[in-house]
Amino acid sequence: MVCGGFTCSKNSLCALNILYVMVSLLMIGIAAWGKWFGLVSSFQVVGGVIGVGVFLFFVALVGLIGAMKHHQVLLFFYMIILFMVFVVQFSVSSACLAINKDQQCQLLEVGWNNSQTTQKDVEKTLNCCGFSSVNYNGTCDASCFPNHSCSTCAAKIQQHAGEVLRFVGGIGLFFSFTEILGVWLTHRYRNQKDPRANPSAFL
């Protein structure tokens, strides 16, 4: 059986969706693990990651069922949703790779000011206080604070921000191309005839 045939398209689409199911379960598991062990105390961050994982799980489940049953309606909606996810993910990944240091600093400061919980997590993890300046008259969860030897969190975050953005952008681009591959496979698979089906039932 050549790879352009019905069986190969079906198996390829099933394998791709099994990969997505595994990725979604990994995202949910890591987020829950981080919350359980107190590595991340921000409910918004954990909830966002779990929400994306659950969404990806259901999309992959729709694609998997549609591929196994050659269900035209499920495959159509799966193809549309996957294409929209591709557009969003490709745009975000490209932005992560194209952002400069000034824009990084602005985005980090906005994120810093939006969540007190995130501030405490960062201060405790990186052993720093404040974003751009240290206020020893205030409060800080870092171990360096009692000794008045803390550096600003902006300096420590920016040391790794570029690497993290490049890593996230690269991973996002990789998965965005698997998504456009999934759209192409789904479109092709929908228009292929199941050799085991009744010929008069094919539309």
Side-chain angles (χ1 to χ4, degrees):
M1 178 72 69
V2 294
C3 196
F6 178 87
T7 302
C8 185
S9 297
K10 177 180 179 179
N11 292 339
S12 299
L13 201 54
C14 287
L16 187 63
N17 283 287
I18 289 172
L19 173 65
Y20 288 155
V21 168
M22 293 172 61
V23 171
S24 66
L25 293 176
L26 185 64
M27 290 176 66
I28 295 170
I30 289 176
W33 178 78
K35 181 65 175 176
W36 180 264
F37 286 95
L39 300 177
V40 181
S41 57
S42 174
F43 181 76
Q44 290 88 348
V45 173
V46 175
V49 174
I50 291 178
V52 171
V54 170
F55 173 77
L56 179 61
F57 177 80
F58 281 111
V59 171
L61 198 62
V62 169
L64 190 60
I65 295 173
M68 293 179 68
K69 295 184 176 295
H70 200 227
H71 196 287
Q72 296 292 317
V73 176
L74 286 179
L75 289 172
F76 174 78
F77 282 108
Y78 170 76
M79 183 173 61
I80 297 299
I81 294 171
L82 201 62
F83 180 75
M84 291 190 295
V85 172
F86 162 77
V87 171
V88 173
Q89 188 166 324
F90 183 81
S91 303
V92 173
S93 300
S94 300
C96 287
L97 294 173
I99 193 171
N100 58 41
K101 288 187 177 180
D102 291 336
Q103 292 170 329
Q104 285 179 26
C105 187
Q106 292 175 1
L107 288 174
L108 289 171
E109 189 169 6
V110 169
W112 179 270
N113 293 328
N114 280 342
S115 175
Q116 295 288 334
T117 307
T118 302
Q119 291 180 20
K120 292 181 180 180
D121 287 342
V122 172
E123 288 174 344
K124 187 183 298 182
T125 303
L126 298 181
N127 196 25
C128 59
C129 288
F131 184 76
S132 56
S133 61
V134 181
N135 180 16
Y136 289 110
N137 294 322
T139 58
C140 179
D141 293 333
S143 60
C144 63
F145 188 72
N147 300 325
H148 290 196
S149 59
C150 295
S151 59
T152 61
C153 292
K156 292 196 173 183
I157 294 173
Q158 286 175 346
Q159 291 177 2
H160 308 287
E163 296 177 2
V164 170
L165 285 172
R166 285 192 295 271
F167 176 77
V168 171
I171 294 295
L173 276 180
F174 170 76
F175 277 102
S176 67
F177 285 117
T178 66
E179 287 157 6
I180 202 65
L181 173 65
V183 171
W184 175 75
L185 277 173
T186 306
H187 174 73
R188 179 171 158 175
Y189 179 60
R190 284 186 75 242
N191 295 311
Q192 287 179 324
K193 182 178 179 180
D194 187 349
R196 296 168 299 180
N198 184 359
S200 63
F202 181 74
L203 297 178

